[in-house]
Coordinates of all heavy atoms in Angstrom, one line a residue:
M2 N -10.7 -5.5 -8.8 CA -10.2 -4.2 -9.1 C -11.3 -3.3 -9.5 O -12.2 -3.6 -10.2 CB -9.1 -4.3 -10.2 CG -7.8 -4.8 -9.7 SD -6.5 -4.6 -11.0 CE -6.7 -3.0 -11.5
D3 N -11.1 -2.0 -9.1 CA -12.1 -1.0 -9.4 C -12.0 -0.5 -10.9 O -12.9 -0.3 -11.5 CB -12.0 0.2 -8.5 CG -12.6 -0.1 -7.1 OD1 -13.4 -1.0 -7.0 OD2 -12.2 0.7 -6.2
D4 N -10.7 -0.4 -11.3 CA -10.5 0.1 -12.7 C -9.5 -0.9 -13.4 O -8.3 -1.0 -13.0 CB -9.8 1.5 -12.5 CG -9.5 2.1 -13.9 OD1 -9.9 1.5 -14.9 OD2 -9.0 3.2 -13.9
G5 N -10.0 -1.5 -14.4 CA -9.2 -2.5 -15.2 C -8.1 -1.9 -15.9 O -7.1 -2.6 -16.3
D6 N -8.1 -0.5 -16.1 CA -7.0 0.2 -16.8 C -5.9 0.6 -15.8 O -4.9 1.2 -16.3 CB -7.6 1.4 -17.5 CG -8.5 1.0 -18.7 OD1 -8.3 -0.1 -19.2 OD2 -9.4 1.7 -19.0
D7 N -6.1 0.4 -14.5 CA -5.1 0.9 -13.6 C -3.9 -0.1 -13.6 O -4.0 -1.2 -13.0 CB -5.8 0.9 -12.2 CG -4.8 1.4 -11.1 OD1 -3.7 1.8 -11.4 OD2 -5.2 1.3 -9.9
I8 N -2.9 0.3 -14.2 CA -1.7 -0.6 -14.3 C -1.0 -0.9 -13.0 O -0.3 -1.8 -12.8 CB -0.7 -0.2 -15.4 CG1 -0.2 1.2 -15.1 CG2 -1.4 -0.2 -16.8 CD1 1.0 1.6 -16.0
Y9 N -1.2 0.0 -12.0 CA -0.6 -0.1 -10.7 C -1.5 -0.9 -9.8 O -1.0 -1.3 -8.7 CB -0.3 1.3 -10.1 CG 0.6 2.1 -11.0 CD1 0.2 3.1 -11.7 CD2 2.0 1.7 -11.0 CE1 1.1 3.9 -12.5 CE2 2.9 2.4 -11.8 CZ 2.4 3.5 -12.5 OH 3.3 4.2 -13.3
M10 N -2.7 -1.3 -10.2 CA -3.6 -2.1 -9.4 C -3.7 -1.6 -8.0 O -3.5 -2.3 -7.0 CB -3.2 -3.6 -9.4 CG -3.1 -4.1 -10.8 SD -2.9 -5.9 -11.0 CE -1.6 -6.3 -9.9
R11 N -4.1 -0.3 -7.8 CA -4.1 0.3 -6.5 C -5.5 0.3 -5.8 O -5.6 0.2 -4.6 CB -3.7 1.8 -6.6 CG -2.2 1.9 -6.9 CD -1.7 3.3 -6.8 NE -0.3 3.3 -6.9 CZ 0.4 4.4 -7.1 NH1 -0.3 5.6 -7.1 NH2 1.7 4.4 -7.1
S12 N -6.5 0.3 -6.6 CA -7.9 0.5 -6.0 C -8.7 -0.8 -6.2 O -8.9 -1.3 -7.3 CB -8.6 1.7 -6.7 OG -9.8 1.9 -6.1
W13 N -9.2 -1.3 -5.0 CA -9.8 -2.6 -5.0 C -11.2 -2.5 -4.2 O -11.3 -1.7 -3.4 CB -9.0 -3.7 -4.3 CG -7.7 -3.9 -5.0 CD1 -6.6 -3.2 -5.0 CD2 -7.4 -5.1 -5.9 NE1 -5.6 -3.8 -5.8 CE2 -6.1 -4.9 -6.3 CE3 -8.2 -6.1 -6.3 CZ2 -5.5 -5.8 -7.2 CZ3 -7.6 -7.0 -7.1 CH2 -6.3 -6.9 -7.6
T14 N -12.1 -3.4 -4.6 CA -13.3 -3.5 -3.8 C -13.3 -4.9 -3.2 O -13.0 -5.9 -3.8 CB -14.6 -3.4 -4.8 OG1 -14.6 -2.1 -5.4 CG2 -15.9 -3.6 -4.0
G15 N -13.7 -4.9 -1.9 CA -13.8 -6.2 -1.1 C -15.2 -6.4 -0.6 O -15.9 -5.4 -0.5
T16 N -15.5 -7.6 -0.4 CA -16.8 -7.9 0.2 C -16.7 -8.9 1.3 O -15.9 -9.8 1.2 CB -17.7 -8.6 -0.9 OG1 -17.8 -7.7 -2.0 CG2 -19.1 -8.9 -0.4
I17 N -17.4 -8.6 2.4 CA -17.4 -9.5 3.6 C -18.9 -9.9 3.9 O -19.7 -9.0 3.9 CB -16.8 -8.9 4.8 CG1 -15.3 -8.5 4.5 CG2 -16.9 -9.8 6.0 CD1 -14.6 -7.8 5.7
I18 N -19.1 -11.2 4.0 CA -20.5 -11.6 4.4 C -20.4 -11.8 5.9 O -19.5 -12.5 6.5 CB -20.9 -12.9 3.7 CG1 -20.9 -12.7 2.2 CG2 -22.2 -13.4 4.3 CD1 -21.1 -13.9 1.4
G19 N -21.3 -11.1 6.7 CA -21.3 -11.1 8.1 C -21.2 -12.5 8.7 O -21.9 -13.4 8.2
P20 N -20.4 -12.7 9.7 CA -20.3 -14.1 10.3 C -21.6 -14.5 11.1 O -22.3 -13.7 11.6 CB -19.1 -13.9 11.3 CG -19.0 -12.5 11.5 CD -19.6 -11.8 10.3
H21 N -21.8 -15.8 11.2 CA -22.9 -16.4 11.9 C -22.9 -16.0 13.3 O -21.9 -15.8 13.9 CB -22.9 -17.9 11.7 CG -23.1 -18.3 10.3 ND1 -24.3 -18.2 9.6 CD2 -22.3 -18.9 9.4 CE1 -24.2 -18.6 8.4 NE2 -22.9 -19.1 8.2
N22 N -24.1 -16.0 13.9 CA -24.3 -15.8 15.3 C -23.8 -14.4 15.8 O -23.3 -14.3 16.9 CB -23.7 -16.9 16.2 CG -24.3 -18.2 15.9 OD1 -25.6 -18.3 15.7 ND2 -23.5 -19.3 15.8
T23 N -23.9 -13.4 14.9 CA -23.5 -12.1 15.3 C -24.6 -11.2 14.7 O -25.4 -11.6 13.9 CB -22.2 -11.6 14.7 OG1 -22.3 -11.5 13.2 CG2 -21.0 -12.6 15.0
V24 N -24.6 -9.9 15.1 CA -25.5 -9.0 14.5 C -25.3 -8.7 13.0 O -26.1 -8.2 12.3 CB -25.5 -7.6 15.3 CG1 -26.0 -7.8 16.7 CG2 -24.2 -7.0 15.2
H25 N -24.1 -9.2 12.6 CA -23.7 -9.0 11.2 C -24.2 -10.1 10.3 O -24.0 -10.1 9.1 CB -22.2 -8.8 11.1 CG -21.7 -7.7 11.9 ND1 -21.8 -6.4 11.7 CD2 -20.9 -7.8 13.1 CE1 -21.2 -5.7 12.6 NE2 -20.7 -6.5 13.5
E26 N -24.7 -11.2 10.9 CA -25.1 -12.4 10.1 C -26.0 -12.1 8.9 O -27.0 -11.4 9.1 CB -25.8 -13.4 11.0 CG -26.1 -14.7 10.3 CD -26.6 -15.8 11.3 OE1 -26.8 -15.5 12.5 OE2 -26.9 -16.9 10.8
G27 N -25.6 -12.6 7.8 CA -26.4 -12.5 6.6 C -26.2 -11.2 5.9 O -26.7 -11.0 4.7
R28 N -25.6 -10.2 6.4 CA -25.4 -8.9 5.8 C -24.2 -9.0 4.9 O -23.2 -9.7 5.2 CB -25.2 -7.8 6.8 CG -26.5 -7.7 7.7 CD -26.3 -6.5 8.6 NE -27.5 -6.4 9.5 CZ -27.7 -5.6 10.4 NH1 -26.7 -4.8 10.7 NH2 -28.8 -5.5 11.1
I29 N -24.2 -8.2 3.8 CA -23.1 -8.1 2.9 C -22.5 -6.7 3.0 O -23.2 -5.7 2.8 CB -23.6 -8.4 1.5 CG1 -24.1 -9.8 1.4 CG2 -22.4 -8.2 0.5 CD1 -24.8 -10.1 0.0
Y30 N -21.2 -6.7 3.3 CA -20.5 -5.4 3.5 C -19.5 -5.2 2.4 O -18.8 -6.1 2.0 CB -19.7 -5.4 4.9 CG -20.7 -5.5 6.0 CD1 -20.9 -6.7 6.7 CD2 -21.3 -4.4 6.5 CE1 -21.8 -6.8 7.8 CE2 -22.1 -4.4 7.6 CZ -22.4 -5.7 8.2 OH -23.2 -5.7 9.3
Q31 N -19.5 -4.0 1.8 CA -18.6 -3.7 0.8 C -17.5 -2.7 1.3 O -17.8 -1.8 2.1 CB -19.3 -3.0 -0.4 CG -20.1 -4.0 -1.2 CD -20.4 -3.5 -2.6 OE1 -20.7 -2.3 -2.7 NE2 -20.5 -4.4 -3.6
L32 N -16.3 -2.9 0.9 CA -15.2 -2.1 1.4 C -14.4 -1.7 0.2 O -14.4 -2.3 -0.9 CB -14.2 -2.9 2.2 CG -14.7 -3.7 3.4 CD1 -15.2 -5.1 3.0 CD2 -13.7 -3.8 4.5
K33 N -13.7 -0.6 0.3 CA -12.7 -0.1 -0.6 C -11.4 -0.2 0.0 O -11.1 0.2 1.1 CB -13.0 1.4 -1.0 CG -14.3 1.6 -1.8 CD -14.2 1.0 -3.2 CE -15.5 1.2 -3.9 NZ -15.5 0.7 -5.2
L34 N -10.5 -0.8 -0.8 CA -9.1 -0.9 -0.3 C -8.2 -0.1 -1.3 O -8.4 -0.3 -2.6 CB -8.6 -2.4 -0.3 CG -9.4 -3.2 0.6 CD1 -10.5 -4.0 -0.1 CD2 -8.5 -4.2 1.4
F35 N -7.3 0.7 -0.8 CA -6.4 1.5 -1.7 C -5.0 1.2 -1.3 O -4.6 1.4 -0.2 CB -6.8 3.0 -1.7 CG -5.9 3.8 -2.6 CD1 -6.3 3.8 -4.0 CD2 -4.8 4.4 -2.2 CE1 -5.5 4.5 -4.9 CE2 -4.0 5.2 -3.1 CZ -4.4 5.2 -4.4
C36 N -4.2 0.7 -2.3 CA -2.8 0.5 -2.1 C -2.0 1.6 -2.6 O -2.0 1.8 -3.9 CB -2.4 -0.8 -2.8 SG -3.4 -2.2 -2.3
D37 N -1.4 2.3 -1.8 CA -0.5 3.5 -2.2 C 0.7 3.0 -2.8 O 1.0 1.8 -2.9 CB -0.2 4.4 -1.0 CG 0.0 5.8 -1.4 OD1 0.1 6.1 -2.6 OD2 0.1 6.7 -0.5
K38 N 1.6 3.9 -3.3 CA 2.8 3.5 -4.0 C 3.8 2.7 -3.1 O 4.6 2.0 -3.6 CB 3.5 4.7 -4.5 CG 3.9 5.7 -3.5 CD 4.5 6.9 -4.1 CE 4.9 7.8 -2.9 NZ 5.1 9.2 -3.2
D39 N 3.6 2.8 -1.7 CA 4.5 2.1 -0.8 C 4.0 0.7 -0.5 O 4.7 -0.1 0.3 CB 4.6 2.9 0.5 CG 5.3 4.2 0.3 OD1 6.2 4.3 -0.6 OD2 4.9 5.1 1.0
Y40 N 2.9 0.2 -1.0 CA 2.3 -1.1 -0.8 C 3.3 -2.1 -1.5 O 3.7 -1.8 -2.6 CB 0.9 -1.2 -1.3 CG 0.3 -2.6 -1.2 CD1 -0.3 -3.0 0.0 CD2 0.4 -3.5 -2.2 CE1 -0.8 -4.3 0.2 CE2 -0.2 -4.8 -2.1 CZ -0.8 -5.1 -0.9 OH -1.3 -6.4 -0.7
P41 N 3.6 -3.2 -1.0 CA 3.2 -3.8 0.3 C 4.0 -3.5 1.5 O 3.7 -4.1 2.6 CB 3.3 -5.3 -0.1 CG 4.5 -5.4 -1.0 CD 4.5 -4.1 -1.8
E42 N 4.9 -2.6 1.4 CA 5.7 -2.2 2.6 C 4.8 -1.5 3.6 O 5.0 -1.7 4.8 CB 6.9 -1.3 2.2 CG 7.9 -1.9 1.3 CD 8.5 -3.1 1.8 OE1 8.7 -3.2 3.0 OE2 8.8 -4.0 1.0
K43 N 3.9 -0.8 3.2 CA 2.9 -0.1 4.0 C 1.5 -0.7 3.8 O 1.2 -1.1 2.6 CB 2.9 1.4 3.8 CG 4.2 2.1 3.9 CD 4.3 2.8 5.2 CE 5.7 3.3 5.3 NZ 5.9 4.5 5.9
P44 N 0.6 -0.7 4.7 CA -0.7 -1.3 4.5 C -1.6 -0.5 3.6 O -1.4 0.7 3.5 CB -1.3 -1.4 5.9 CG -0.7 -0.2 6.7 CD 0.8 -0.2 6.1
P45 N -2.6 -1.1 3.0 CA -3.6 -0.4 2.2 C -4.5 0.4 3.2 O -4.6 0.1 4.4 CB -4.3 -1.4 1.5 CG -4.2 -2.7 2.3 CD -2.9 -2.6 3.0
S46 N -5.1 1.4 2.7 CA -6.1 2.1 3.4 C -7.4 1.3 3.2 O -7.7 0.8 2.1 CB -6.3 3.6 3.1 OG -6.6 3.7 1.7
V47 N -8.3 1.2 4.2 CA -9.5 0.4 4.1 C -10.7 1.3 4.6 O -10.6 1.9 5.6 CB -9.4 -0.9 5.0 CG1 -10.6 -1.7 4.8 CG2 -8.1 -1.6 4.6
R48 N -11.7 1.2 3.8 CA -12.9 2.0 4.2 C -14.2 1.2 3.8 O -14.3 0.7 2.7 CB -13.0 3.3 3.4 CG -14.1 4.2 3.8 CD -14.0 5.6 3.3 NE -14.0 5.7 1.8 CZ -15.1 5.9 1.1 NH1 -16.3 6.0 1.7 NH2 -15.0 5.9 -0.2
F49 N -15.0 1.1 4.8 CA -16.3 0.4 4.6 C -17.2 1.3 3.8 O -17.4 2.5 4.2 CB -17.0 0.0 5.9 CG -16.5 -1.3 6.5 CD1 -15.4 -1.3 7.3 CD2 -17.2 -2.5 6.2 CE1 -14.9 -2.5 7.8 CE2 -16.8 -3.7 6.7 CZ -15.6 -3.7 7.6
H50 N -17.8 0.8 2.7 CA -18.8 1.6 2.0 C -20.2 1.3 2.6 O -21.1 2.2 2.6 CB -18.9 1.2 0.5 CG -18.1 2.1 -0.3 ND1 -18.7 3.0 -1.2 CD2 -16.8 2.4 -0.4 CE1 -17.7 3.7 -1.8 NE2 -16.6 3.4 -1.3
S51 N -20.4 0.1 3.1 CA -21.6 -0.3 3.9 C -21.4 0.3 5.3 O -20.4 0.3 5.9 CB -21.7 -1.8 3.9 OG -21.7 -2.3 2.6
R52 N -22.5 0.7 5.8 CA -22.5 1.2 7.2 C -22.3 0.0 8.2 O -23.0 -1.0 8.0 CB -23.9 1.9 7.5 CG -23.9 2.7 8.8 CD -25.1 3.5 8.8 NE -25.3 4.2 10.0 CZ -24.7 5.4 10.3 NH1 -23.9 5.9 9.4 NH2 -24.9 6.0 11.5
I53 N -21.4 0.2 9.1 CA -21.1 -0.9 10.1 C -20.7 -0.2 11.4 O -20.2 0.9 11.4 CB -20.0 -1.8 9.5 CG1 -19.9 -3.0 10.4 CG2 -18.7 -1.1 9.4 CD1 -19.1 -4.1 9.8
N54 N -21.0 -0.9 12.5 CA -20.7 -0.5 13.8 C -19.6 -1.5 14.4 O -20.0 -2.5 14.8 CB -21.9 -0.4 14.7 CG -21.7 0.3 16.0 OD1 -20.6 0.9 16.2 ND2 -22.6 0.3 16.9
M55 N -18.4 -1.0 14.4 CA -17.3 -1.8 14.9 C -16.3 -0.9 15.6 O -16.2 0.3 15.3 CB -16.5 -2.6 13.8 CG -17.3 -3.7 13.2 SD -16.4 -4.5 11.8 CE -14.9 -5.0 12.5
T56 N -15.7 -1.4 16.7 CA -14.8 -0.5 17.4 C -13.6 0.0 16.6 O -13.0 1.1 17.0 CB -14.2 -1.3 18.7 OG1 -13.6 -2.5 18.3 CG2 -15.4 -1.6 19.6
C57 N -13.2 -0.7 15.6 CA -12.0 -0.2 14.8 C -12.4 0.6 13.6 O -11.5 1.0 12.8 CB -11.2 -1.4 14.4 SG -12.0 -2.6 13.3
V58 N -13.7 0.9 13.4 CA -14.2 1.6 12.2 C -14.7 3.0 12.7 O -15.5 3.1 13.6 CB -15.3 0.8 11.5 CG1 -15.8 1.6 10.3 CG2 -14.7 -0.5 11.0
N59 N -14.2 4.0 12.0 CA -14.7 5.4 12.3 C -16.2 5.4 11.9 O -16.5 5.2 10.7 CB -13.9 6.4 11.5 CG -14.3 7.8 11.7 OD1 -15.5 8.2 11.5 ND2 -13.4 8.6 12.2
H60 N -17.1 5.8 12.8 CA -18.5 5.8 12.5 C -19.0 6.8 11.5 O -20.0 6.5 10.8 CB -19.3 6.1 13.8 CG -19.1 5.0 14.8 ND1 -17.9 4.6 15.3 CD2 -20.0 4.2 15.5 CE1 -18.1 3.6 16.2 NE2 -19.3 3.3 16.3
E61 N -18.2 7.9 11.3 CA -18.6 8.9 10.3 C -18.1 8.6 8.9 O -18.8 8.8 7.9 CB -18.2 10.3 10.8 CG -18.9 10.7 12.1 CD -18.4 12.0 12.6 OE1 -17.7 12.8 11.8 OE2 -18.6 12.4 13.7
T62 N -16.9 8.1 8.8 CA -16.3 8.0 7.5 C -16.2 6.5 7.0 O -16.0 6.3 5.8 CB -14.8 8.5 7.5 OG1 -14.1 7.7 8.5 CG2 -14.8 9.9 7.9
G63 N -16.3 5.5 7.9 CA -16.2 4.1 7.6 C -14.8 3.7 7.4 O -14.6 2.5 7.1
V64 N -13.8 4.5 7.7 CA -12.4 4.1 7.6 C -12.0 3.2 8.8 O -12.4 3.5 9.9 CB -11.5 5.4 7.6 CG1 -10.1 5.1 7.7 CG2 -11.8 6.2 6.4
V65 N -11.3 2.2 8.4 CA -10.8 1.3 9.4 C -9.5 1.9 10.0 O -8.6 2.2 9.2 CB -10.4 -0.1 8.8 CG1 -9.8 -1.0 9.9 CG2 -11.6 -0.8 8.3
E66 N -9.5 2.2 11.3 CA -8.5 3.0 11.9 C -7.3 2.0 12.3 O -7.5 1.2 13.1 CB -9.0 3.7 13.1 CG -10.0 4.7 12.7 CD -10.7 5.5 13.9 OE1 -10.3 5.2 15.1 OE2 -11.5 6.3 13.7
P67 N -6.1 2.2 11.6 CA -5.0 1.3 11.8 C -4.6 1.1 13.3 O -4.3 0.0 13.7 CB -3.9 2.0 11.1 CG -4.6 2.7 10.0 CD -5.8 3.3 10.6
K68 N -4.7 2.2 14.1 CA -4.3 2.1 15.5 C -5.2 1.2 16.3 O -4.9 0.7 17.4 CB -4.2 3.5 16.2 CG -3.1 4.3 15.6 CD -3.1 5.7 16.3 CE -2.0 6.5 15.7 NZ -2.0 7.9 16.3
K69 N -6.5 1.0 15.8 CA -7.5 0.2 16.5 C -7.6 -1.2 15.9 O -8.4 -2.0 16.4 CB -8.8 0.9 16.5 CG -8.8 2.2 17.3 CD -10.1 2.9 17.3 CE -10.1 4.2 18.0 NZ -11.4 4.8 18.0
F70 N -6.9 -1.5 14.8 CA -7.0 -2.8 14.1 C -5.6 -3.4 14.0 O -4.8 -2.9 13.2 CB -7.7 -2.6 12.8 CG -8.0 -3.9 12.0 CD1 -8.8 -4.8 12.6 CD2 -7.4 -4.1 10.8 CE1 -9.0 -6.0 11.9 CE2 -7.6 -5.3 10.1 CZ -8.4 -6.2 10.6
G71 N -5.4 -4.4 14.8 CA -4.1 -5.0 14.9 C -3.3 -5.3 13.6 O -2.2 -5.1 13.5
L72 N -4.0 -5.9 12.6 CA -3.4 -6.3 11.4 C -2.8 -5.1 10.7 O -1.7 -5.1 10.1 CB -4.3 -7.0 10.4 CG -3.7 -7.7 9.2 CD1 -3.1 -9.0 9.6 CD2 -4.6 -7.8 8.1
L73 N -3.5 -3.9 10.6 CA -3.0 -2.7 10.0 C -1.9 -2.1 10.9 O -0.9 -1.6 10.3 CB -4.1 -1.7 9.7 CG -5.1 -2.1 8.7 CD1 -6.2 -1.1 8.5 CD2 -4.5 -2.4 7.3
A74 N -2.1 -2.1 12.2 CA -1.1 -1.5 13.1 C 0.2 -2.2 13.1 O 1.3 -1.6 13.2 CB -1.7 -1.5 14.5
N75 N 0.2 -3.5 12.9 CA 1.4 -4.4 12.8 C 1.6 -5.0 11.5 O 2.0 -6.1 11.3 CB 1.2 -5.5 13.9 CG 1.0 -4.9 15.3 OD1 1.8 -4.1 15.7 ND2 -0.1 -5.3 15.9
W76 N 1.4 -4.2 10.4 CA 1.4 -4.7 9.0 C 2.8 -5.2 8.7 O 3.8 -4.7 9.1 CB 1.1 -3.5 8.1 CG 1.1 -3.9 6.7 CD1 2.1 -3.8 5.7 CD2 0.1 -4.6 6.0 NE1 1.7 -4.3 4.5 CE2 0.5 -4.8 4.7 CE3 -1.2 -5.0 6.4 CZ2 -0.3 -5.4 3.7 CZ3 -2.0 -5.7 5.4 CH2 -1.6 -5.9 4.1
Q77 N 2.8 -6.4 8.0 CA 4.0 -7.0 7.5 C 3.8 -7.2 6.0 O 2.7 -7.4 5.5 CB 4.2 -8.3 8.2 CG 4.5 -8.2 9.6 CD 4.7 -9.6 10.3 OE1 5.1 -10.5 9.6 NE2 4.6 -9.6 11.6
R78 N 4.9 -7.1 5.3 CA 4.9 -7.2 3.8 C 4.3 -8.5 3.3 O 3.7 -8.5 2.2 CB 6.4 -7.2 3.4 CG 6.6 -7.1 1.9 CD 8.1 -7.1 1.6 NE 8.4 -6.4 0.4 CZ 8.0 -6.7 -0.8 NH1 7.3 -7.8 -1.0 NH2 8.3 -6.0 -1.8
E79 N 4.3 -9.5 4.1 CA 3.8 -10.8 3.7 C 2.3 -10.9 3.7 O 1.6 -11.8 3.1 CB 4.3 -12.0 4.5 CG 5.8 -12.1 4.5 CD 6.6 -11.1 5.4 OE1 6.0 -10.7 6.4 OE2 7.7 -10.7 5.0
Y80 N 1.6 -9.9 4.4 CA 0.2 -9.9 4.5 C -0.5 -9.6 3.1 O 0.1 -8.9 2.3 CB -0.3 -8.9 5.5 CG 0.0 -9.3 6.9 CD1 0.0 -8.3 7.9 CD2 0.4 -10.5 7.4 CE1 0.4 -8.5 9.2 CE2 0.7 -10.8 8.7 CZ 0.7 -9.8 9.6 OH 1.0 -10.1 10.9
T81 N -1.6 -10.2 2.9 CA -2.4 -10.0 1.7 C -3.7 -9.3 1.9 O -4.1 -9.2 3.1 CB -2.6 -11.4 1.0 OG1 -3.5 -12.1 1.8 CG2 -1.4 -12.1 0.7
M82 N -4.4 -8.9 0.9 CA -5.7 -8.4 1.1 C -6.7 -9.4 1.6 O -7.6 -9.1 2.3 CB -6.2 -7.8 -0.3 CG -5.5 -6.5 -0.5 SD -6.3 -5.5 -1.8 CE -4.9 -5.3 -2.8
E83 N -6.5 -10.7 1.2 CA -7.3 -11.7 1.7 C -7.1 -11.8 3.2 O -8.1 -12.0 4.0 CB -7.0 -13.1 1.1 CG -7.8 -14.2 1.6 CD -7.4 -15.6 1.0 OE1 -6.4 -15.7 0.2 OE2 -8.1 -16.5 1.3
D84 N -5.9 -11.7 3.7 CA -5.6 -11.8 5.2 C -6.4 -10.6 5.8 O -7.0 -10.8 6.9 CB -4.1 -11.6 5.5 CG -3.3 -12.8 5.0 OD1 -3.8 -13.9 4.9 OD2 -2.1 -12.5 4.7
L85 N -6.4 -9.5 5.2 CA -7.0 -8.3 5.8 C -8.6 -8.5 5.9 O -9.1 -8.3 6.9 CB -6.7 -7.1 4.9 CG -7.2 -5.7 5.3 CD1 -6.7 -5.3 6.6 CD2 -6.7 -4.7 4.3
L86 N -9.2 -9.0 4.8 CA -10.6 -9.2 4.8 C -11.0 -10.3 5.8 O -12.0 -10.2 6.6 CB -11.1 -9.6 3.4 CG -11.0 -8.5 2.4 CD1 -11.3 -9.0 1.0 CD2 -11.9 -7.3 2.7
T87 N -10.2 -11.4 5.9 CA -10.4 -12.5 6.8 C -10.3 -12.0 8.3 O -11.2 -12.3 9.1 CB -9.4 -13.6 6.6 OG1 -9.6 -14.1 5.2 CG2 -9.7 -14.8 7.5
Q88 N -9.3 -11.2 8.5 CA -9.2 -10.6 9.9 C -10.3 -9.7 10.3 O -10.8 -9.6 11.4 CB -7.8 -10.0 10.0 CG -7.4 -9.8 11.5 CD -7.3 -11.1 12.2 OE1 -6.8 -12.1 11.7 NE2 -7.6 -11.1 13.5
L89 N -10.8 -8.9 9.3 CA -11.9 -8.0 9.6 C -13.2 -8.8 9.9 O -13.9 -8.5 10.8 CB -12.2 -7.1 8.4 CG -11.3 -5.8 8.3 CD1 -11.5 -5.2 7.0 CD2 -11.7 -4.9 9.5
K90 N -13.4 -9.9 9.2 CA -14.5 -10.8 9.5 C -14.4 -11.4 10.9 O -15.4 -11.5 11.6 CB -14.6 -11.9 8.4 CG -15.9 -12.7 8.6 CD -16.1 -13.7 7.4 CE -17.4 -14.4 7.5 NZ -17.7 -15.2 6.3
K91 N -13.2 -11.8 11.3 CA -13.0 -12.3 12.6 C -13.3 -11.2 13.7 O -13.8 -11.5 14.7 CB -11.6 -12.9 12.8 CG -11.3 -14.2 12.1 CD -9.9 -14.6 12.3 CE -9.6 -15.9 11.5 NZ -8.2 -16.3 11.6
E92 N -12.9 -10.0 13.3 CA -13.1 -8.9 14.2 C -14.6 -8.7 14.4 O -15.0 -8.3 15.5 CB -12.4 -7.7 13.7 CG -12.4 -6.5 14.6 CD -11.6 -6.6 15.9 OE1 -10.7 -7.5 15.9 OE2 -11.8 -5.7 16.8
M93 N -15.4 -8.9 13.4 CA -16.8 -8.7 13.5 C -17.4 -9.7 14.6 O -18.4 -9.4 15.2 CB -17.5 -9.0 12.2 CG -17.3 -8.0 11.2 SD -18.2 -8.5 9.6 CE -17.7 -7.2 8.5
A94 N -16.8 -10.9 14.7 CA -17.3 -11.9 15.6 C -16.6 -11.8 17.0 O -17.0 -12.5 17.9 CB -17.0 -13.3 15.0
A95 N -15.7 -10.9 17.2 CA -15.1 -10.7 18.5 C -16.1 -10.2 19.5 O -17.0 -9.5 19.1 CB -13.9 -9.7 18.4
P96 N -15.9 -10.6 20.7 CA -16.9 -10.3 21.8 C -17.3 -8.8 21.9 O -18.4 -8.5 22.0 CB -16.2 -10.8 23.1 CG -15.3 -11.9 22.6 CD -14.8 -11.5 21.3
H97 N -16.3 -7.9 21.7 CA -16.5 -6.5 21.8 C -17.3 -5.9 20.6 O -17.7 -4.8 20.6 CB -15.2 -5.7 22.0 CG -14.2 -6.0 21.0 ND1 -13.3 -7.1 21.1 CD2 -13.9 -5.4 19.9 CE1 -12.5 -7.1 20.1 NE2 -12.8 -6.0 19.3
N98 N -17.4 -6.7 19.5 CA -18.2 -6.2 18.3 C -19.4 -7.0 18.1 O -20.2 -6.7 17.2 CB -17.3 -6.3 17.1 CG -16.3 -5.2 17.0 OD1 -16.5 -4.1 17.3 ND2 -15.0 -5.6 16.7
R99 N -19.6 -8.2 18.8 CA -20.8 -9.0 18.5 C -22.1 -8.4 18.7 O -23.0 -8.6 17.9 CB -20.7 -10.2 19.4 CG -19.7 -11.3 19.1 CD -19.8 -12.4 20.0 NE -20.8 -13.4 19.6 CZ -20.6 -14.5 18.9 NH1 -19.3 -14.7 18.5 NH2 -21.5 -15.3 18.5
K100 N -22.2 -7.5 19.6 CA -23.6 -6.9 19.9 C -23.7 -5.4 19.6 O -24.7 -4.8 19.9 CB -23.8 -7.1 21.4 CG -23.7 -8.5 21.9 CD -25.0 -9.2 21.9 CE -24.8 -10.6 22.5 NZ -25.8 -11.5 22.1
L101 N -22.6 -4.9 19.0 CA -22.7 -3.4 18.7 C -23.8 -3.1 17.6 O -24.1 -3.9 16.8 CB -21.4 -2.9 18.1 CG -20.3 -2.9 19.2 CD1 -19.0 -2.4 18.5 CD2 -20.6 -1.9 20.3

């Protein structure tokens, strides 16, 4: 959590270590996740603080665009932030992102 005093637990920091055999290998990426009042019914907003080149990430803002990232586009209440980070790491290793 970003703020220990936040009783609503809305703002989180996530970390992803780049997957092996990709251009992301060995790099550490930091993300900010924000859960609005409608969470878990609606997905959190996700923004990379570390610069990254992926097809689902806005190159200027670092925001993960829900329409381009399946887990956010098809969000279900049962999904967790761990699921989100895991799926982003898998997306880094996807053929269309391996060489970006």
